Structure formats: structure tokens, C-alpha cells
Amino acid sequence: MVLFVTAEVVAGSAAWLGRGLSCVCAQRRESDPRPSFDLTPAQEECLQRLQLRIDVAYDSSIPEHREALRALWNAAFPDEELRDLISEQWKEMGWQGKDPSTDFRGGGFISLENLLYLARNFPDLLRKQEGDRSVWEYPFAVAGVNITFMLIQMLDLEAVKPRTMVGATFLKFLSENESAFDLLYCITFKLMDHQWLAMRASYMDFNTVMKSTRRQLERELLLEDVTRLEDLPSYSLLSR
């Protein structure tokens, strides 16, 4: 059973998702002065641990990575056996080709961890039946990789210190909840899907939806009454 419409996607280390799915990360101008925010020792430690996760590339020679990939398949298709880790079956989940590791070049192992966290905690997104369609109109798996990449850029997680209020706000949440990045990923995915349906978007609208999702997320993170991720207005989408 095919759950998601596949897409021809080109993955790269900095930008990918060709044919209408170009990278939607912020356009960074190196000449622009940006402030930096001091971190508490706890926040600095949490950021460093997250950065270590971000730096891990997907490596099919590592048993843990192979098992995580197989676990993702089992979560999405519990009644269909995966014949091999390199298989045409992966196209059913919206990967570029028969080897999903090629799509992890931009997102790294953390993008697989994010997808697996989503599959285990909010599996309804894997088998969506809402809206005017019963199959996905965007490539689910590659969209997930792109969301990971977008969040890393939006939160400026590769910097020594956050240089935006959004990034500084997130690090406060991270210091209080080690799974904050994975949870924010799920919120973002649900928000993106919600906006996709509301906009009745098509494949070529993917970038527009992603940019709209990012703007909404940034606005919510800066709301005065948001003191934890569970306070985000879009958090309620996880229970729908």
C-alpha cells in the first residue's frame, strides 16, 4: 500500500529538494551584525549535546543507524516486511530512491531520529486519512528531513551562542527538556501539515508552505505567555 506520493529529490549538504523543493532556510548575510545571547552553564551544556547529535552523519555501516532505519519502516508499515534496507519499497514513504541514506546527506542521523520520534509518539501522521485526499501530496520522508534542516537554521543551532531571540528562547526550553528539539520537530511537522491542508497546497507549493510554517513558528516562540513548548498554540495540533 502506497501511503505517500513520491518525489524526485536531490539531496545535498547545504541545500536540496530540487524541482520546486529548494531549501527554505533563512538567507544569511554574513555582513549583517547580529547580537549574541549569553548562556547559562546548563544551557551551554544542552546546546553542546544537541550539536553533537547534529554533527553525526548517517552511516549505513553503523548497526544503530541501520536499526533506526528499519524501525522507521516498521512504524510506517507494520504489516509489510521490509525486504532490504536498500529497496524500491522506500519510495512508498516518499524517499528519492531505493536507498534513503542518500536523502540524509543534508539532515544527518538526527533527521532520522526526528522521523522515528514522530513515528513512535504521533503515528497518525504516518497514516493520514484527513482532507480531500487519502494519500500524501508531498513526499513525507523528505519533507521530514527538510524540517530538521529548517529548524537547525532557524534556531541557529550550529553557532556557539544563539544570535536571535528565537534561538535563545528555544535554548531555555532545551535546558528544561532534553527532548525539546524532537518535540518541536513534531509540532513543526503537524503545523506544516495543517497549513498544507488549509492552503489546499499542491506539490509546487511546498516551499510556500514551509516558509509560512517557519514564520508562524517564529511568531509563536516569541509570544510572552509561552514559557515552554507545550504553551505554543500549535502544540494543540498534536492531539488532533
Side-chain angles (χ1 to χ4, degrees), residues 4 11 14 34 37 41 51 76 115 138 160 173 204 208-209 233 239:
F4 316 111
R34 292 193 291 178
F37 297 82
Q51 288 173 335
L115 278 169
Y138 57 84
V160 175
F173 300 154
M204 296 305 293
T208 300
V209 175
S239 60

Side-chain angles (χ1 to χ4, degrees), residues 99-126:
D99 184 2
S101 67
T102 60
D103 290 325
F104 289 129
R105 292 173 186 165
F109 183 59
I110 192 173
S111 60
L112 173 54
E113 290 181 311
N114 289 157
L115 278 169
L116 190 53
Y117 185 91
L118 176 74
R120 287 172 170 168
N121 292 278
F122 305 100
D124 61 298
L125 267 177
L126 294 173

